[in-house]
Amino acid sequence: MVARKNETPANAVGRASSGKKLLKCFEDHRHVWVFMELERGKVHPVSIELLGEGRRLADKLGVQLAGVILGSSEGVGTKPAIEEAFAYGADVAYLVESPLLANYRNEPFTKALTDLVTTHKPEILLLGATTLGRDLAGAVATTLQTGLTADCTELDVDGDGSLAATRPTFGGSLLCTIYTLNSRPQMATVRSRVMATPQRADKPIGRVIQHELTMVEEAIVTKVLAFLCNDGSEQSNLANSDIVVGGGLGLGAAGNLQHLRNLATTIGGGVGCSRPLVQKGWMPADRQIGQSGHTIRPKLYIAAGISGAVQHRVGVEGADLIVAINLDQKAPIFDFAHIGVVACALEFLPALTEAFARRMPPHNSIKGMDRGRLDDQE
């Protein structure tokens, strides 16, 4: 793998300039694959987003887009996932059905996916950076001895067809474009809400290629004893909120977070924060927005007292409208905010809340927005 700092796919150069050459045994790898993550028969939203991005990459390379479905035929089964794959742009679906794949376990899923890759030879394999996706991607990449770029914020292909996967460096101060030059498939994981959701188009199921899982239950160390659903959890749903109000160290004290809650309650939004507030214990970790927290794509994001370092930027830059409130007119957040307000957040937030309250009806019930625990985050 080769990492090129401060470089975006738009100005990336081809493989020849790196002095590397793809091994001959990988030259017949073609097509873009997206792993369709399932939970109780429902496709994870990140898989839909990746199908949209995979379609763009496949069109650019002139190859097919495939959805990869691993699951059991029992219960809801895999049919809904197959239908979704074609509705969101797949040309073909690869299917492995087995009772051993009814619940996620690393061993059978890794075996199924690596066997598929070895047999059908994709050039690009994309997975969601979920708990399941991260676990599976790492195991598959290790087994195949190929490169994996995690938590990407941008994907593209360069002049010679290499996948250019861009992600923040661990220090967070740079964006790094990473290439897998001498092995295939080129693998990457992407968080939910980083990519836009494509338009759904109802169309019939296309070609489905089935593959058998050659594994027995006795060979699997992990056993599923029970499934405990957490649908009743009060954890935040910031990733799917249409409106988010975020706060940073510029608010000065934990008690001042009430200004965020008042505004969020008035306009029907969720409350989030930058990493320093979680580190100080002012807010729970499930409210953190940024590289090591939630990635959000709301219609409106209001950031109060947040400097806007790259770690935070990568988590919010997909928002339709970013309004930044900060006393420091040189704060990095003004470089990417759509509207910048140079003001004291402690004075501006109450005034903004009052202005909204005069023009909007009370939000006693907001459908589809994150209203959880707005009053218990001291």
Side-chain angles (χ1 to χ4, degrees):
M1 297 178 72
V2 172
R4 301 182 179 125
K5 296 181 180 179
N6 288 333
E7 185 179 80
T8 62
N11 63 6
V13 293
R15 184 186 304 117
S17 65
S18 69
K20 299 279 186 177
K21 182 175 175 59
L22 183 65
L23 298 177
K24 193 172 183 62
C25 61
F26 295 119
E27 290 180 352
D28 59 346
H29 282 240
R30 293 288 184 273
H31 309 306
V32 178
W33 285 14
V34 172
F35 171 73
M36 304 285 289
E37 181 174 335
L38 291 172
E39 184 173 359
R40 321 312 286 179
K42 186 176 181 181
V43 178
H44 195 288
V46 72
S47 300
I48 303 300
E49 295 159 14
L50 286 176
L51 282 171
E53 187 67 6
R55 181 73 270 165
R56 185 181 68 83
L57 297 177
D59 289 345
K60 198 167 182 178
L61 290 167
V63 299
Q64 290 186 332
L65 171 66
V68 179
I69 298 100
L70 311 181
S72 171
S73 60
E74 301 172 358
V76 177
T78 58
K79 185 177 179 181
I82 297 172
E83 292 174 348
E84 292 294 273
F86 287 104
Y88 285 102
D91 300 302
V92 63
Y94 290 95
L95 174 66
V96 182
E97 282 187 324
S98 168
L100 304 185
L101 302 172
N103 295 288
Y104 177 72
R105 291 179 289 176
N106 184 276
E107 300 106 307
F109 271 70
T110 298
K111 173 67 172 172
L113 190 50
T114 53
D115 284 354
L116 271 176
V117 169
T118 301
T119 302
H120 298 285
K121 302 180 179 180
E123 57 186 313
I124 294 175
L125 174 58
L126 306 177
L127 302 91
T130 61
T131 301
L132 185 159
R134 287 184 173 114
D135 184 64
L136 179 60
V140 170
T142 301
T143 304
L144 295 173
Q145 297 185 351
T146 189
L148 168 64
T149 307
D151 283 359
C152 298
T153 58
E154 186 177 357
L155 299 174
D156 208 341
V157 289
D158 70 2
D160 60 13
S162 296
L163 178 67
T166 301
R167 57 152 294 147
T169 61
F170 288 108
S173 58
L174 295 171
L175 290 175
C176 188
T177 300
I178 298 174
Y179 294 80
T180 302
L181 299 177
N182 55 1
S183 61
R184 291 293 183 268
Q186 303 160 97
M187 293 181 60
T189 63
V190 180
R191 290 191 197 183
S192 180
R193 306 292 281 178
V194 169
M195 307 298 180
T197 302
Q199 291 293 320
R200 192 180 195 280
D202 288 319
K203 60 181 183 180
I205 291 176
R207 186 164 63 109
V208 178
I209 300 173
Q210 292 188 279
H211 190 92
E212 183 181 355
L213 175 63
T214 56
M215 199 174 203
V216 294
E217 179 64 43
E218 290 72 24
I220 305 172
V221 174
T222 307
K223 308 300 177 185
V224 178
L225 302 181
F227 177 81
L228 303 177
C229 182
N230 67 350
D231 284 350
S233 170
E234 292 187 345
Q235 284 201 346
S236 69
N237 191 26
L238 289 176
N240 296 314
S241 294
D242 286 335
I243 300 175
V244 177
V245 181
L249 280 177
L251 295 177
N256 293 329
L257 299 179
Q258 189 60 43
H259 295 305
L260 300 179
R261 302 184 189 113
N262 292 343
L263 177 57
T265 300
T266 301
I267 61 178
V271 175
C273 66
S274 59
R275 182 170 62 178
L277 269 62
V278 173
Q279 293 173 329
K280 283 181 171 290
W282 294 1
M283 273 198 173
D286 68 312
R287 293 283 160 176
Q288 183 178 327
I289 301 169
Q291 180 183 353
S292 51
H294 291 285
T295 299
I296 60 175
R297 296 182 70 94
K299 296 177 181 177
L300 171 63
Y301 176 53
I302 300 175
I306 295 177
S307 64
V310 67
Q311 297 97 323
H312 191 76
R313 176 173 183 167
V314 297
V316 304
E317 59 186 353
D320 291 343
L321 179 63
I322 300 174
V323 179
I325 307 163
N326 202 300
L327 262 178
D328 181 7
Q329 62 182 352
K330 295 183 179 180
I333 197 166
F334 290 133
D335 293 336
F336 60 91
H338 301 97
I339 298 175
V341 180
V342 180
C344 174
L346 302 182
E347 298 175 359
F348 191 83
L349 287 174
L352 185 61
T353 302
E354 183 180 349
F356 273 121
R358 288 197 303 265
R359 292 167 173 80
M360 297 178 66
H363 284 264
N364 295 321
S365 178
I366 305 297
K367 292 184 178 181
M369 294 185 184
D370 175 27
R371 295 293 308 282
R373 297 197 295 166
L374 290 180
D375 298 320
D376 64 350
Q377 298 169 20
E378 290 289 329

